[in-house]
Amino acid sequence: MSRQNRFVRGYAVSKADVDVVVVGAGFAGLYLLRELRANGFSSRVLEAGGDVGGTWYWNRYPGARCDISTTDYTYTWDPELHEQWTWSEKHATQPEILKYAQFVATKHDLYSSIDFDTKVTSAAWNESAQHWNVETSTGESISARHYVMATGCLSIPKDPDIPGTDRYRGPVYVTGRWPHEGVDLTGKRVAVIGTGSSSIQSIPHIAAQAAELVVFQRTPNFSMPAFNGPQPSDRVARLKADRKAYETEARLSGAGVPMELPTVSALGVSRDEAFAMLERSWQKGELLALGATFSDVGTNREANEVICDFMRSKIKEVVNDPGTAELLSPRGHSYGTKRPCMDTNYFQTFNLPHVRLVDLRKTPISTITETGIEFGDESKEFDVIVYATGFDAMTGAIVNVDITGKNGLTLKKKWEHGPLTYLGLTSVGFPNLYMITGPGSPSVLSNMMVSIEQHVEWIRDTLIDLREGGFDTIEPTPMAEEGWRVHCTDCADITLFQDTNSWYMGANVPGKPRVLFPYIGGVGRYRQTCDEVRARGFLGFELVGSGKKQRNDGIVRRVQPDVDMVLEMMGQLGLPPIESMSPAEARAFSEASSAMRPPGPEVGEMIDGTLPGAGGPLEYRLYRPATKGPHPVVVYFHGGGWVFGSHVSDDPLCRELCKNADVVIVSVNYRHAPEDRFPAAADDGYAALQWVVANAASLGGDPTRVVVAGWSAGGNVAAVTAQLARDNGGPALKGQLLLTPVTDGSRQHGSHHENADGYILTKSLMEWFWNHYADPSDRSHPKASPLLARDLSGLPPAMVVTAQFDPLRDEGDAYARALMGAGVPVEHLEARGHIHTSITMVDALPSGKPPRARMAAALRRFLH
Ligand SMILES: Cc1cc2nc3c(=O)[nH]c(=O)nc-3n(C[C@H](O)[C@H](O)[C@H](O)COP(=O)(O)OP(=O)(O)OC[C@H]3O[C@@H](n4cnc5c(N)ncnc54)[C@H](O)[C@@H]3O)c2cc1C
């Protein structure tokens, strides 16, 4: 093949003025080039290396392999490849993967459009000409309408930040830039610095040659055996049976590999059972299998610790010296929050007599010398030093190019506090700039072949849309970009990633901002989002052509990510609407759903009893903290639209508030409609409050410190009870906690229309509730609609929580404002991205935790 001949098969392009410049000839650049050509875009690919392959061109260290199985880590866009290429192993070696890249490039005649040994040094947006000026290390200047960074997430090795690195006179090797001719380490004294993935793969091979090997470790990593061998037969069989279905499953999966979704909590089974399940996953030798054993290891530290314990037990089993085993055992970071590794005999290597492990936390390197390394109180000579110190991941290669957008803004400057992108693909101020697997996309948290193909196809389709629509430029809007940043942060916030110093968080590079660089919302959901953006007329983008402009401002994902998943699951279940049921059916349905929830935290004591209501005895449940009383008391009213629910139906929420606010909670089963219509619930609320205060001492409570609280219709009962207590001369209340309360029977507020459907509580369900509870003529009575009370002054301090995607949002907001207007101290929490039900879902939806913590804090403030 000739790399010089770029004018073949009619793809001749002028050396400047191309439609698209692509930087990088790894798997991303190659596929994009092929698609650009196939769709008639003139293009050039510029590559710093001497051949195609990217990662697999540069990383030639001994033992380099992929760790996603090659049945999955392979192109899907050319079906012929599946016949023409057979991977020899489950986890192919670097030479084999490089050969594959070369094979594809040759087959599709891609070499002819690639300039090798050509580094892109700068790219500047020319606003008047509406194109990019790209400068290269070869002195060339190219203009292009569109500019794509296919520069890879792990392509810039990190410089070792160790004193004296320049002093050493012996040979130095960096795993990510290993010499092409290989290195003979036979009989040598070798130091390896770093114990990340590359090191874990290479150490057994280096040890096999070296006379002496010293491994310098700062942080131990979790690694599992690859059990390499032929392609897994079950996968091969599935691919043979229906390749298309398999690929679709991969594209819609969490990490780009078909995987059954776990449903079992690591804390929901015994330790022995958990370990037995993990052992089955371990034996698969699949990178993602362990993390996919349980449903909660990504979000719950305690659950994650089960895997960590299992992994540490495995290290102890194979490493002979207990001290070394302990040193190799990761502690202090959750499994998966640093990239897990796959190895072949890594831990066993430390049993060899000539291999030694040095703990850099205890004995840091003071300096590299001319002949070796000084660490602790030792000075040791080495023939060779190998740096396996990782990469300036995700953004390193992008900001390595001097990219200047509109108004002289550089990308480096814009990203100084963290990368800002829309979809991880584009960035405000940089029209027609695209990043493949950029920060803010699943990228390194996925099988990257799937993510690369998805980005290439999105860019291709976008360019086609622009051309067909007569648009020259595309740029995201600030609102869309900010919305994406918030969504990425919301996703990260419910995971354990933020607590770990990892390269995912930029923590391995001094001065790099600390944010989670990849998008953790999942490959499938991410793909749907990108598709949705295009389908909705490029939501969040401004498109400009000669004499025309299309600005479709907006935010693509506004619901909290875990809430979104619940909504999607509910949608898939295709349940009948509650309002189509009889009250009895609705109650049975509600009870059945409640039975499946996590129970909430342990409390000191739970006692069921009865109290006198306004129309007869009412059941209650008392939750007492484990701490010493007497405690302040919360009289709590459950949700359920006055029709269903009971004193136990908000159990998890009551338990959590009891524990976190250190209060006694008395949850009351007020009478329900339609059997007992308005004002039964309100009258019961007030009667219950009176009884609780009168009997507080015998309940272990303090009658002088009492609050009313409630959720939804229960929030309505609580608000009304507070008004009745004021109007009837007591009992005196210290506060009221109203969670997404019903406050106005008119249902005229905007959120009833805006959030009418799709967020579990619907406009029509609310109508059903009201019809069961109160005649239209009664609904404006303040005992039904506390917002409509003539006077709201003199009420106890309030915390009002409203949810953004709740039909009741605006009436809750209005009540908070009206209370404030009447001089009542109010804390108003507008829970962003939440729906009517999500904040109550204790231990099921992590995003509900912060608002509930605020609620507990408010109770403490009112009461302690
Ligand atoms: C050792 C190792 C193992 C991996 N194993 C897996 C795995 O098992 N599964 C998985 O999904 N992913 C794995 N990855 C991630 C891997 O990077 C991707 O899977 C994939 O190869 C990335 O392809 P790419 O084309 O996006 O980028 P790359 O392959 O990184 O290619 C980018 C290219 O851009 C070029 N470039 C960068 N800057 C410039 C510039 N300024 N001018 C010109 N050229 C430039 C680089 O020279 C490089 O060739 C691994 C990464 C490493 C380092």
Side-chain angles (χ1 to χ4, degrees):
M1 92 213 69
S2 159
R3 291 184 209 144
Q4 309 308 320
N5 181 8
R6 73 167 53 87
F7 301 103
V8 291
R9 290 212 193 158
Y11 295 122
V13 291
S14 81
K15 288 210 74 170
D17 298 315
V18 287
D19 293 326
V20 190
V21 157
V22 179
V23 192
F27 283 122
L30 290 180
Y31 179 33
L32 181 59
L33 173 58
R34 193 285 185 169
E35 290 305 290
L36 291 172
R37 278 182 176 178
N39 289 285
F41 294 101
S42 59
S43 49
R44 285 187 57 190
V45 175
L46 308 171
E47 166 57 55
D51 201 344
V52 298
T55 295
W56 308 103
Y57 168 83
W58 294 108
N59 288 269
R60 297 171 189 239
Y61 59 82
R65 289 175 185 271
C66 61
D67 46 22
I68 294 281
S69 142
T70 30
T71 35
D72 302 289
Y73 188 71
T74 196
Y75 277 142
T76 65
W77 53 269
D78 176 2
E80 283 176 14
L81 281 175
H82 307 310
E83 310 304 324
Q84 294 166 340
W85 187 273
T86 306
W87 293 105
S88 64
E89 289 178 277
K90 188 171 71 160
H91 299 103
T93 59
Q94 171 270 328
E96 188 174 3
I97 303 174
L98 177 58
K99 269 199 205 99
Y100 175 75
Q102 291 164 334
F103 177 79
V104 174
T106 306
K107 175 176 181 223
H108 290 276
D109 184 30
L110 301 178
Y111 277 105
S112 55
S113 292
I114 307 171
D115 290 54
F116 294 99
D117 303 312
T118 305
K119 191 168 187 272
V120 172
T121 50
S122 71
W125 176 247
N126 182 329
E127 182 67 22
S128 55
Q130 304 274 285
H131 66 218
W132 284 93
N133 287 335
V134 179
E135 308 278 334
T136 74
S137 57
T138 56
E140 213 187 336
S141 180
I142 307 162
S143 68
R145 175 74 77 193
H146 302 275
Y147 174 66
V148 185
M149 294 295 277
T151 42
C153 297
L154 301 168
S155 55
I156 302 289
K158 186 182 96 88
D159 288 332
D161 46 350
I162 302 168
T165 40
D166 294 342
R167 285 170 63 192
Y168 184 66
R169 288 201 302 266
V172 166
Y173 302 106
V174 176
T175 46
R177 291 287 180 270
W178 204 258
H180 291 195
E181 61 282 9
V183 179
D184 184 8
L185 298 170
T186 309
K188 300 271 196 283
R189 295 166 301 170
V190 181
V192 174
I193 302 178
T195 48
S197 190
S198 305
S199 186
I200 282 175
Q201 285 187 337
S202 60
I203 277 173
H205 295 264
I206 294 174
Q209 288 190 340
E212 184 185 357
L213 170 62
V214 181
V215 177
F216 291 88
Q217 170 190 275
R218 190 170 53 196
T219 315
N221 264 308
F222 291 111
S223 182
M224 62 185 283
F227 297 125
N228 210 7
Q231 299 279 319
S233 52
D234 56 334
R235 292 270 167 104
V236 173
R238 279 191 66 193
L239 281 164
K240 279 217 169 98
D242 191 347
R243 179 173 281 278
K244 275 272 157 284
Y246 185 93
E247 288 170 359
T248 303
E249 208 182 311
R251 288 175 191 149
L252 296 177
S253 67
V257 176
M259 188 83 52
E260 238 173 72
L261 277 184
T263 51
V264 179
S265 159
L267 306 173
V269 292
S270 71
R271 182 85 164 175
D272 287 351
E273 177 57 14
F275 271 39
M277 290 169 74
L278 287 167
E279 181 64 35
R280 286 194 286 278
S281 300
W282 174 272
Q283 290 302 334
K284 288 182 189 160
E286 297 275 349
L287 184 72
L288 305 174
L290 270 184
T293 312
F294 298 113
S295 57
D296 47 358
V297 293
T299 51
N300 182 316
R301 187 161 292 102
E302 221 186 312
N304 190 289
E305 205 44 33
V306 176
I307 295 198
C308 297
D309 281 348
F310 174 81
M311 298 290 273
R312 288 189 285 257
S313 74
K314 288 289 186 187
I315 297 170
K316 269 203 197 111
E317 267 173 34
V318 298
V319 178
N320 298 339
D321 173 50
T324 307
E326 181 52 34
L327 267 187
L328 288 165
S329 297
R331 295 194 187 273
H333 75 264
S334 302
Y335 176 81
T337 58
K338 280 173 178 272
R339 194 174 196 282
C341 307
M342 298 208 83
D343 70 273
T344 303
N345 294 331
Y346 171 65
F347 293 110
Q348 290 85 338
T349 302
F350 292 91
N351 293 334
L352 298 172
H354 67 294
V355 178
R356 175 183 167 195
L357 182 67
V358 171
D359 179 8
L360 289 177
R361 288 173 174 174
K362 281 208 188 99
T363 47
I365 294 176
S366 44
T367 186
I368 311 274
T369 66
E370 283 73 11
T371 54
I373 301 177
E374 285 179 9
F375 56 101
D377 51 10
E378 274 186 73
S379 180
K380 208 162 162 36
E381 302 218 322
F382 290 103
D383 303 317
V384 172
I385 297 181
V386 174
Y387 289 107
T389 39
F391 296 92
D392 184 351
M394 303 288 301
T395 52
I398 299 176
V399 296
N400 213 24
V401 176
D402 189 8
I403 300 177
T404 311
K406 281 156 87 176
N407 305 318
L409 176 70
T410 65
L411 199 60
K412 201 171 189 166
K413 176 78 187 149
K414 179 178 171 182
W415 286 6
E416 68 184 346
H417 302 299
L420 293 170
T421 70
Y422 182 37
L423 304 173
L425 270 162
T426 59
S427 193
V428 174
F430 299 84
N432 294 4
L433 165 75
Y434 313 82
M435 291 158 278
I436 297 189
T437 62
S441 75
S443 56
V444 290
L445 292 177
S446 67
N447 167 7
M448 288 195 65
M449 279 296 200
V450 171
S451 293
I452 284 170
E453 290 194 349
Q454 186 244 333
H455 269 188
V456 166
E457 286 157 17
W458 192 92
I459 294 170
R460 173 200 66 199
D461 295 343
T462 296
L463 294 185
I464 293 172
D465 287 348
L466 292 179
R467 183 172 60 191
E468 286 176 358
F471 293 108
D472 299 323
T473 63
I474 181 169
E475 185 190 347
T477 67
M479 184 203 277
E481 184 170 276
E482 172 59 11
W484 189 248
R485 185 195 66 76
V486 169
H487 176 60
C488 289
T489 309
D490 285 342
C491 292
D493 279 350
I494 58 179
T495 70
L496 303 174
F497 278 89
Q498 319 249 27
D499 302 338
T500 299
N501 287 327
S502 66
W503 59 257
Y504 291 138
M505 296 287 301
N508 65 327
V509 178
K512 211 170 167 178
R514 282 291 299 272
V515 290
L516 183 61
F517 284 70
Y519 172 70
I520 180 82
V523 162
R525 299 184 74 73
Y526 174 78
R527 173 185 292 266
Q528 285 162 352
T529 303
C530 293
D531 289 350
E532 186 183 325
V533 163
R534 270 191 63 238
R536 289 171 69 184
F538 286 99
L539 178 67
F541 282 106
E542 181 175 284
L543 279 53
V544 180
S546 53
K548 61 201 276 193
K549 185 164 160 178
Q550 172 191 310
R551 187 182 174 91
N552 185 5
D553 214 351
I555 293 174
V556 64
R557 286 279 169 264
R558 298 188 300 158
V559 176
Q560 289 288 342
D562 48 358
V563 177
D564 214 14
M565 278 163 76
V566 167
L567 290 175
E568 191 182 289
M569 268 160 47
M570 300 279 290
Q572 282 165 358
L573 289 176
L575 299 166
I578 290 178
E579 59 271 31
S580 69
M581 302 178 188
S582 68
E585 286 166 343
R587 286 169 190 155
F589 174 76
S590 156
E591 277 171 32
S593 322
S594 295
M596 294 187 291
R597 303 171 298 189
E602 289 291 318
V603 293
E605 196 177 14
M606 294 197 306
I607 301 165
D608 291 340
T610 53
L611 57 82
L618 303 174
E619 293 166 292
Y620 71 83
R621 173 165 284 184
L622 182 140
Y623 304 82
R624 199 194 316 283
T627 53
K628 195 167 174 301
H631 296 95
V633 185
V634 174
V635 182
Y636 180 84
F637 303 105
H638 64 82
W642 305 283
V643 176
F644 50 81
S646 73
H647 57 306
V648 299
S649 61
D650 292 358
D651 226 37
L653 177 65
C654 288
R655 288 185 193 216
E656 196 184 88
L657 287 175
C658 165
K659 183 164 185 259
N660 292 350
D662 198 30
V663 290
V664 157
I665 292 192
V666 181
S667 171
V668 181
N669 195 14
Y670 53 86
R671 281 171 294 164
H672 294 138
E675 294 84 352
D676 293 290
R677 288 165 62 83
F678 173 83
D683 290 342
D684 279 350
Y686 183 51
L689 170 66
Q690 287 177 302
W691 182 85
V692 170
V693 171
N695 295 276
S698 62
L699 299 172
D702 174 354
T704 66
R705 290 184 293 157
V706 179
V707 155
V708 286
W711 166 48
S712 188
N716 171 278
V717 175
V720 169
T721 299
Q723 291 189 11
L724 292 174
R726 176 198 61 178
D727 297 343
N728 294 311
L733 288 170
K734 291 281 186 199
Q736 48 181 328
L737 171 62
L738 310 176
L739 172 57
T740 57
V742 185
T743 69
D744 183 358
S746 73
R747 290 176 290 112
Q748 291 306 311
H749 298 268
S751 54
H752 279 278
H753 306 286
E754 200 184 305
N755 300 324
D757 213 355
Y759 302 112
I760 297 183
L761 177 64
T762 60
K763 182 171 182 274
S764 52
L765 177 56
M766 215 43 231
E767 197 173 322
W768 186 84
F769 284 141
W770 272 110
N771 288 341
H772 281 302
Y773 181 51
D775 291 340
S777 57
D778 286 332
R779 293 182 195 171
S780 55
H781 193 288
K783 276 167 85 171
S785 296
L787 178 65
L788 305 184
R790 237 173 293 141
D791 179 15
L792 295 178
S793 63
L795 287 168
M799 177 175 198
V800 182
V801 183
T802 53
Q804 186 180 5
F805 297 102
D806 182 357
L808 301 181
R809 180 195 65 208
D810 290 353
E811 62 187 76
D813 288 350
Y815 197 55
R817 279 198 308 274
L819 287 171
M820 281 184 237
V824 176
V826 177
E827 179 183 355
H828 180 197
L829 170 59
E830 296 168 82
R832 186 177 48 74
H834 277 281
I835 61 172
H836 185 71
T837 47
S838 53
I839 298 168
T840 64
M841 296 173 77
V842 175
D843 291 339
L845 295 184
S847 65
K849 225 172 165 180
R852 289 198 308 276
R854 291 265 301 269
M855 286 159 56
L859 289 178
R860 282 181 174 272
R861 209 174 47 247
F862 295 148
L863 292 167
H864 285 287

